[in-house]
């Protein structure tokens, strides 16, 4: 094979291997998405499984890399930006009460369930509290994609899920800060950190309101005078990434910032043009990488027999507490039983939020490494069961039940 080495410089080709990896991701995502829809499931189901098949668990053709991880983060930010652009504020206001009930019960039940399960499994109070915090996490991006495919994103249920997920994220961050603050040996530093966190959250929403009402409409109007191409799309991307960065700066998840960026821009005359262009860019480039990356980070082969029982139990608790908590909230808000359980199903996926929370727990020493590995699988399973459950509750659901 020496003639091949002379013909092709494989050493220098390694620097461009990412080109092959990206092409492989896009190809398999589209094929897997197509096959998934052929069997009556949302395409996102196949896209997630593509990551598992291509990743370390089965074929080992792809592995998590800094490039894939960063592109995946942009993908989920843009996915939530699109969700914000699609949100009908009139419907959002109508669903505020329902979203609040779903969020509160969707936080309390998973936290208590995770905490008590951790105690029962023999973990200490700090680790058990963090397990509860981990189960609080919700990644609505999977639900957003599934609901969009089913044409239910702008339904009463869809808007309720979106609103509840935003509140859920805020409550989850507060609980995470409480757990870290009260388990840290800092002589009251935890209380100070918590006060600072609350201040940052309030400051963030003040910033969102001022930018959305005063600055963004003016900035987009002035941008149309610039003599350059795709200025609306560019300013939209700047807004999405900028809001995501500021949310991270304030101690919140970046997806909260991008969602509110889209929400504010949905009130401007440019939202239809912006939505169409961002959707094309996102779903052709960034979003497929996000879905595959979830499968890549979960190397299921690392799970040993000693963790299997804990993983199964925690997974069951993670699914049931979110499903039941969301369903109770939905019923209290006036939805019928099927719609209420559909809302609960939309809150099950932990996705990238669960992985972020898990990594924080590992770095803070709140959970051991083997439990973190099990956490990845729990996150993966909760993410995978969400699309078919949403499909089951919302398919052939012609008449959308609204809250009383």
């Amino acid at each position: 094979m020496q003639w091949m080495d002379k013909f092709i410089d494989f050493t220098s080709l390694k620097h461009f291997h990412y080109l092959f990896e990206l092409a492989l991701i896009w190809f398999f995502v589209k094929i897997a998405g197509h096959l998934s829809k052929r069997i009556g499931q949302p395409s996102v189901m196949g896209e997630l499984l593509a990551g598992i098949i291509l990743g370390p668990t089965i074929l080992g053709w792809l592995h998590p890399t800094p490039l894939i991880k960063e592109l995946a983060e942009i993908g989920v930010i843009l996915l939530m930006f699109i969700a914000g652009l699609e949100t009908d504020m009139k419907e959002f206001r109508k669903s505020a009460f329902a979203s609040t009930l779903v969020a509160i019960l969707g936080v309390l039940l998973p936290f208590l369930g995770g905490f008590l399960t951790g105690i029962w499994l023999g973990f200490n109070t700090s680790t058990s509290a963090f397990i509860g915090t981990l189960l609080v996490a919700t990644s609505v991006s999977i639900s957003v994609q599934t609901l969009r495919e089913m044409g239910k994103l702008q339904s009463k249920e869809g808007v309720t899920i979106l609103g509840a997920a935003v509140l859920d994220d805020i409550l989850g961050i507060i609980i995470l800060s409480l757990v870290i603050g009260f388990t840290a040996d800092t002589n009251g530093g935890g209380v100070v950190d918590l006060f600072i966190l609350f201040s940052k959250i309030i400051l963030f929403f003040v910033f969102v309101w001022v930018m959305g009402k005063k600055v963004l409409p003016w900035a987009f109007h002035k941008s149309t005078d610039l003599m350059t191409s795709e200025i609306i799309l560019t300013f939209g991307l700047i807004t999405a990434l900028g809001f995501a960065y500021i949310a991270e700066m304030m101690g919140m998840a970046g997806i909260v910032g991008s969602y509110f960026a889209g929400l504010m821009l949905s009130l401007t005359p440019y939202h239809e043009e912006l939505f169409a262009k961002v959707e094309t860019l996102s779903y052709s480039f960034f979003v497929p990488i996000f879905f595959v990356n979830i499968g890549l980070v979960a190397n299921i082969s690392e799970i040993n027999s000693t963790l299997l029982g804990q993983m199964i139990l925690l997974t069951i608790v993670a699914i049931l507490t979110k499903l039941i908590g969301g369903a109770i909230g939905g019923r209290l808000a006036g939805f019928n039983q099927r719609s209420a359980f559909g809302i609960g199903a939309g809150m099950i996926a932990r996705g990238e939020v669960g992985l972020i929370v898990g990594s924080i727990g590992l770095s803070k020493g709140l959970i051991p490494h083997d439990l973190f590995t099990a956490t990845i699988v729990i996150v993966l399973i909760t993410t995978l069961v969400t699309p078919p459950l949403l499909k089951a509750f919302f398919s052939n659901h012609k008449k959308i039940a609204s809250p009383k």
Side-chain angles (χ1 to χ4, degrees):
M1 297 293 291
Q2 291 182 351
W3 65 271
M4 182 64 74
D5 292 335
K6 293 181 179 179
F7 186 73
I8 300 176
D9 186 358
F10 287 100
T11 302
S12 63
L13 196 60
K14 291 180 180 179
H15 298 293
F16 300 96
H17 189 63
Y18 70 92
L19 299 176
F20 170 74
E21 291 179 336
L22 293 178
L24 195 67
I25 288 173
W26 292 325
F27 176 78
F28 274 92
V29 159
K30 295 306 177 183
I31 297 298
H34 169 75
L35 293 176
S36 182
K37 297 198 77 170
R38 285 288 298 270
I39 62 174
Q41 295 298 326
S43 64
V44 64
M45 186 73 174
E47 293 167 359
L48 291 169
L49 290 174
I52 299 174
I53 295 170
L54 293 173
T57 299
I58 300 180
L59 296 178
W61 292 357
L62 293 175
H63 294 82
T65 65
L67 176 63
I68 291 177
K69 179 178 180 294
E70 289 168 2
L71 291 176
E73 289 176 355
I74 295 175
V76 70
I77 285 172
L78 293 182
L79 184 60
M80 294 308 298
F81 182 56
I82 291 172
L85 286 171
E86 275 192 299
T87 300
D88 187 328
M89 281 300 295
K90 293 181 180 178
E91 293 297 327
F92 190 87
R93 293 189 187 100
K94 292 178 183 177
S95 302
F97 176 67
S99 296
T100 302
L101 287 175
V102 171
I104 292 174
L105 290 169
V107 165
L108 288 178
L109 264 66
F111 180 79
L112 291 175
F115 177 77
L116 294 176
T117 302
I119 294 294
W120 187 75
L121 289 173
F123 293 108
N124 60 37
T125 303
S126 297
T127 300
S128 299
F130 191 82
I131 291 173
T133 305
L134 177 67
L135 299 193
V136 164
T138 292
S139 173
V140 76
S141 53
I142 305 299
S143 300
V144 165
Q145 171 69 352
T146 305
L147 291 170
R148 289 189 76 247
E149 290 184 9
M150 298 173 63
K152 303 293 186 183
L153 185 59
Q154 292 308 310
S155 66
K156 301 287 185 182
E157 294 91 339
V159 176
T160 297
I161 290 171
L162 280 173
V166 172
L167 295 174
D168 189 292
D169 190 73
I170 295 171
L171 292 173
I173 291 169
I174 293 172
I175 292 175
L176 176 62
S177 301
L178 281 170
V179 171
I180 294 175
F182 283 109
T183 55
D185 185 17
T186 55
N187 295 323
V191 176
V192 175
D193 290 341
L194 185 59
F195 175 77
I196 294 174
L197 176 68
F198 277 119
S199 300
K200 286 182 177 180
I201 292 175
I202 294 172
L203 185 61
F204 172 77
F205 282 108
V206 171
F207 166 81
V208 167
W209 187 86
V210 172
M211 291 291 292
K213 290 292 185 179
K214 306 295 182 181
V215 180
L216 289 179
W218 174 84
F220 271 75
H221 176 71
K222 289 296 183 181
S223 70
T224 56
D225 296 331
L226 298 178
M227 294 183 291
T228 184
S229 61
E230 299 296 348
I231 191 64
I232 296 299
L233 173 60
T234 302
F235 268 63
L237 295 175
I238 291 171
T239 305
L241 298 181
F243 271 52
Y245 180 78
I246 292 171
E248 293 282 357
M249 185 190 306
M250 296 299 181
M252 306 173 70
I255 56 176
V256 175
S258 62
Y259 176 76
F260 276 102
L263 198 63
M264 292 296 101
L265 290 177
S266 71
L267 304 175
T268 69
Y270 309 100
H271 74 277
E272 291 185 4
E273 176 186 354
L274 188 57
F275 170 80
K277 292 182 177 181
V278 174
E279 184 183 40
T280 300
L281 173 66
S282 301
Y283 283 92
S284 61
F285 190 96
F286 293 102
V287 173
I289 300 173
F290 162 66
F291 289 127
V292 168
N293 186 63
I294 293 177
L296 294 182
V297 298
N299 188 354
I300 300 176
S301 61
E302 293 181 352
I303 297 294
N304 55 50
S305 58
T306 59
L307 284 176
L308 188 58
Q310 295 178 356
M311 185 185 71
I312 293 174
L313 179 59
L314 287 171
T315 300
I316 293 172
V317 172
I319 293 172
L320 290 182
T321 52
K322 276 290 185 184
L323 180 64
I324 295 172
I328 294 174
R331 289 292 285 162
L332 290 175
F335 286 98
N336 65 36
Q337 183 170 317
R338 185 173 182 178
S339 294
F341 273 100
I343 291 169
M347 304 295 290
I348 289 174
R350 269 54 175 195
E352 78 292 340
V353 179
L355 295 174
I356 291 170
V357 174
S359 63
I360 291 173
L362 184 64
S363 65
K364 297 288 185 180
L366 294 174
I367 56 174
H369 189 273
D370 55 353
L371 186 57
F372 174 70
T373 303
T375 295
I376 295 176
V377 179
I378 294 169
V379 168
L380 178 65
I381 294 175
T382 57
T383 301
L384 286 175
V385 301
T386 297
L389 281 176
L390 284 171
K391 182 83 172 180
F393 286 118
F394 287 140
S395 62
N396 300 321
H397 193 189
K398 295 181 181 180
K399 186 177 180 181
I400 301 299
S402 60
K404 297 176 182 178

